[in-house]
Amino acid sequence: MKQYTIRQYVAGLTLIPLLIMAAGLETYFLHDRSSDLDRDLMERGQFIAHQLATSSEYGVFANNQAFLKDMALGVLQQPDVRGVTILNAASESLVEAGEFSNTGNAPMNATQATARPSSKLKRVHASTITESVNRLTPTHSDGENLWIYQPIISAQVPLDESETSPAQQAGAVIIKMSWARTHQLQSQMFWLTIGATALFLIISLYLIYLAGRRITSPICELSDAVQLIGKGNLETCVAVPTRITELSNLVRGINAMATQLQQESAILQQRVEEATRIAAIAFESHEGMMVTDVNGEILRVNSAFSKITGYSGEEAVGQMARLLKSGRHDANFYAAMWKSIHHLGSWQGEIWNLRKSGELYPAWLTITAVKRGDGVVTYYVATLSDITVRKAAENEIKNMAFYDTLTQLPNRRMLMERLSQAITTSKRSGRYGVLMFLDLDNFKPLNDKYGHVVGDLLLIEVARRLTSCVREADTIARFGGDEFVVMLSELDVEKADPVTQASIVAEKIRLALAEPYTLEVQQEGQATTTVNHHCTSSIGVVLLTNNEAGLEDILMWADTAMYQAKRDGRNLIRFYE
């Protein structure tokens, strides 16, 4: 929809009645003045005809054409008179002067006068001769000329010297008047009226403009000021008009509002700056931070992020968040992550990421959805920290708690947990398991002769040989000192009975441990020393069957079988029955 300014409205609404008033005045003035001119021409013609009829009465009775000619030529000198005709009672033309086109002949000059009769004038005269002498003077107009008929009335016609007769029409006077000068005056009056009307409209519009400007200028200034205030220019101040009370009050109110908004904006700006400083400090924390849009495109990162991932801000911004994806997690992992984000608004957990160098590292990741007031997500903020050191510490603590620090084999604590799991599994599946308790023969003399360093090397080599003799699913644990435990889980009874399978593995272990040992000792500041040693083992075996025995009972049974092997001469295998 087209819009208009206040000035256009004021001008339009004022111009319409002005145009109507100007048109009415012009119509009234032109019509009134035109009527006056027409009436003036007719009255002057009637007056001239009446005077000529009165003055020419004697000449008509006397048939004095010279007298009548002088009269006619005198009338021709009057303005707008174009022709004169004087008739007698018989409708015969006594004098015709000037332009008289009704005769059908060419107009005569004003100096000519003839006595030629006119048939048309005769008809006019004949139709009028019987009318009352008090009747208004008949007129006839063809748009260009006006004919005025004036009868010549004789109050007393001398028939002889002693008799008189009543008043009667002795002749007639016909005057031809021209409308040309009247029409010219009317045309001049028309254009003068048009000009005066136009001047009136121009002056009126100018006055309207001046009045409207006095009214609309403050409104326009106020409108411009409000637009500037709406754009944030709160320092805008509008001059208060002094002549319009309502506008003055409105302007004062808007200026006060702008001042109040400016003060509140300054306070808000200070709070925003403080919040921005706090956010900047928080953003540049020791944890890596990343802001993405709803599609996962990285918008901003902090320096900790660059330090952790190896990607600078310029390299990361504009990339997708999957830039850090390691490939260590399957689709179910990410589906559960986004399900939590969509339903709870956040997710946190341990994840494997990929550095720019291609190195995998564990990270603790927290993702939070940033929502608008209507609940629509606009951004995602992710914080991540490198937990490599923590994971190493956790692994170290775990190793210390569950693994032997020398051989890196599970210790007694982990053995007990796995033994408990094996017994539970055996009860559920019905399959057998085997527990072997073995002790090295002649280990103490080695320690006494070469020291604990050589003894430790022997224990490490024993752990390696034990590992090579069993399956990956089986467990090898250092129980303490030179004692080791081997646990075989879920033996396949279809291949052979459990005793046979246990005997085969135990014999394999016995032979492996009975092989000679070549140990190279590196003493600080000394040359490498090679120690050759022969060591055997005594092995006690217990079958893990579907019974209700406790863990300590099973270990005690295996230990008893192992000591039976030592008593029987060492380097032997004994089963507990």
Side-chain angles (χ1 to χ4, degrees):
M1 182 181 292
K2 188 175 181 181
Q3 295 182 340
Y4 300 92
T5 63
I6 296 178
R7 292 179 181 175
Q8 290 174 331
Y9 271 118
V10 171
L13 294 176
T14 311
L15 182 61
I16 293 174
L18 282 177
L19 290 175
I20 296 174
M21 181 174 64
L25 290 175
E26 179 182 357
T27 302
Y28 173 79
F29 184 75
L30 286 176
H31 180 269
D32 186 63
R33 295 303 299 159
S34 297
S35 300
D36 290 344
L37 290 174
D38 293 342
R39 187 166 51 253
D40 178 68
L41 180 66
M42 187 174 296
E43 289 177 353
R44 285 192 301 108
Q46 291 174 345
F47 177 77
I48 293 173
H50 179 74
Q51 293 296 324
L52 180 60
T54 303
S55 303
S56 62
E57 178 184 357
Y58 173 76
V60 169
F61 278 106
N63 197 17
N64 188 346
Q65 292 187 357
F67 174 76
L68 295 176
K69 179 179 178 181
D70 292 336
M71 296 283 293
L73 293 178
V75 171
L76 284 177
Q77 305 302 317
Q78 298 294 324
D80 302 320
V81 177
R82 304 296 299 276
V84 178
T85 299
I86 301 176
L87 304 176
N88 58 17
S91 299
E92 295 175 344
S93 178
L94 300 177
V95 174
E96 289 184 2
E99 301 176 2
F100 214 103
S101 59
N102 285 313
T103 60
N105 300 320
M108 299 180 179
N109 295 329
T111 58
Q112 296 177 338
T114 65
R116 292 177 299 178
S118 172
S119 60
K120 184 174 182 179
L121 294 178
K122 289 179 180 180
R123 288 195 300 272
V124 173
H125 177 59
S127 64
T128 311
I129 196 169
T130 59
E131 294 179 358
S132 172
V133 294
N134 296 322
R135 186 180 182 275
L136 293 177
T137 304
T139 60
H140 171 71
S141 174
D142 61 2
E144 294 183 1
N145 300 291
L146 175 69
W147 284 272
I148 300 175
Y149 180 88
Q150 177 66 44
I152 299 175
I153 304 299
S154 175
Q156 194 171 24
V157 180
L159 300 177
D160 52 37
E161 294 182 357
S162 59
E163 295 182 4
T164 61
S165 63
Q168 62 180 347
Q169 182 171 332
V173 172
I174 299 177
I175 304 295
K176 179 182 178 181
M177 305 288 292
S178 175
W179 291 105
R181 194 169 69 89
T182 302
H183 290 170
Q184 183 180 4
L185 290 175
Q186 289 177 342
S187 177
Q188 292 176 355
M189 288 173 56
F190 173 79
W191 290 112
L192 286 174
T193 304
I194 292 295
T197 303
L199 181 62
F200 167 75
L201 289 177
I202 292 173
I203 295 174
S204 299
L205 289 176
Y206 180 70
L207 294 176
I208 291 171
Y209 169 77
L210 292 179
R213 186 171 182 179
R214 294 292 297 273
I215 297 175
T216 60
S217 292
I219 298 178
C220 294
E221 292 178 5
L222 184 60
S223 175
D224 296 339
V226 170
Q227 291 182 3
L228 291 175
I229 293 173
K231 293 178 180 179
N233 189 358
L234 301 179
E235 298 179 356
T236 303
C237 185
V238 188
V240 179
T242 58
R243 296 180 178 273
I244 306 175
T245 304
E246 292 80 0
L247 284 179
S248 299
N249 295 334
L250 180 60
V251 169
R252 290 190 185 95
I254 291 179
N255 288 338
M257 179 188 69
T259 303
Q260 182 67 25
L261 288 176
Q262 187 176 2
Q263 294 174 354
E264 294 180 358
S265 177
I267 296 173
L268 181 61
Q269 183 66 24
Q270 291 177 356
R271 293 177 179 176
V272 169
E273 291 176 356
E274 292 176 0
T276 302
R277 287 195 298 268
I278 295 172
I281 294 173
F283 192 76
E284 293 299 334
S285 64
H286 66 281
E287 290 185 333
M289 297 191 71
M290 172 178 64
V291 181
T292 71
D293 62 10
V294 292
N295 298 318
E297 182 180 344
I298 299 175
L299 303 177
R300 186 180 177 186
V301 297
N302 65 353
S303 57
F305 175 90
S306 300
K307 186 182 296 184
I308 294 173
T309 64
Y311 291 99
S312 65
E314 293 77 9
E315 293 172 329
V317 173
Q319 299 288 336
M320 303 303 291
R322 58 175 173 268
L323 176 73
L324 307 178
K325 192 173 181 179
S326 64
R328 290 282 296 272
H329 305 284
D330 58 12
N332 293 330
F333 174 85
Y334 292 104
M337 172 195 294
W338 285 108
K339 182 178 180 181
S340 175
I341 294 173
H342 291 154
H343 287 81
L344 304 178
S346 63
W347 176 90
Q348 62 178 351
E350 187 176 310
I351 190 172
W352 284 92
N353 280 341
L354 190 68
R355 302 189 205 272
K356 180 182 178 181
S357 61
E359 176 190 357
L360 287 172
Y361 68 98
W364 184 262
L365 178 64
T366 301
I367 300 176
T368 304
V370 180
K371 300 180 180 180
R372 293 193 315 225
D374 56 0
V376 177
V377 177
T378 55
Y379 302 100
Y380 293 107
V381 177
T383 60
L384 68 155
S385 57
D386 187 350
I387 59 173
T388 302
V389 176
R390 191 184 79 185
K391 291 287 290 184
E394 290 177 355
N395 291 333
E396 184 177 356
I397 294 173
K398 182 178 180 181
N399 287 334
M400 292 175 65
F402 294 99
Y403 290 89
D404 178 56
T405 57
L406 178 63
T407 62
Q408 298 301 311
L409 294 176
N411 58 13
R412 180 188 179 96
R413 182 177 179 182
M414 179 172 282
L415 173 66
M416 299 301 286
E417 289 187 3
R418 292 189 179 182
L419 181 58
S420 176
Q421 293 175 2
I423 293 173
T424 303
T425 303
S426 178
K427 289 180 180 180
R428 185 172 60 250
S429 65
R431 292 187 175 186
Y432 286 90
V434 175
L435 184 70
M436 301 180 186
F437 201 108
L438 59 92
D439 182 80
L440 298 179
D441 302 326
N442 301 320
F443 177 71
K444 188 175 182 301
L446 179 67
N447 267 346
D448 295 340
K449 183 177 180 179
Y450 296 103
H452 291 286
V453 175
V454 177
D456 290 344
L457 292 177
L458 178 64
L459 293 175
I460 294 172
E461 178 61 20
V462 169
R464 188 191 66 79
R465 292 184 184 186
L466 288 174
T467 303
S468 65
C469 293
V470 297
R471 301 169 302 179
E472 186 175 353
D474 298 328
T475 300
I476 303 171
R478 184 186 177 194
F479 205 67
D482 60 344
E483 294 177 337
F484 292 86
V485 175
V486 176
M487 186 179 68
L488 308 178
S489 59
E490 297 192 19
L491 298 178
D492 190 356
V493 295
E494 295 181 358
K495 294 182 179 180
D497 63 276
V499 175
T500 301
Q501 295 184 61
S503 299
I504 293 173
V505 176
E507 181 63 19
K508 183 179 180 181
I509 292 173
R510 188 189 67 80
L511 294 175
L513 297 182
E515 292 289 332
Y517 293 88
T518 302
L519 307 174
E520 295 183 352
V521 182
Q522 179 70 42
Q523 298 288 347
E524 184 177 355
Q526 298 179 7
T528 302
T529 303
T530 301
V531 176
N532 295 315
H533 182 70
H534 183 268
C535 181
T536 59
S537 62
S538 299
I539 305 173
V541 182
V542 176
L543 291 179
L544 304 177
T545 58
N546 187 10
N547 54 43
E548 300 299 328
L551 299 180
E552 294 296 334
D553 292 337
I554 294 173
L555 286 173
M556 184 182 66
W557 296 341
D559 184 65
T560 300
M562 183 270 295
Y563 275 105
Q564 183 63 43
K566 280 186 177 292
R567 285 193 298 268
D568 291 343
R570 299 182 180 181
N571 195 23
L572 296 174
I573 302 171
R574 292 292 182 264
F575 281 79
Y576 179 84
E577 296 180 1

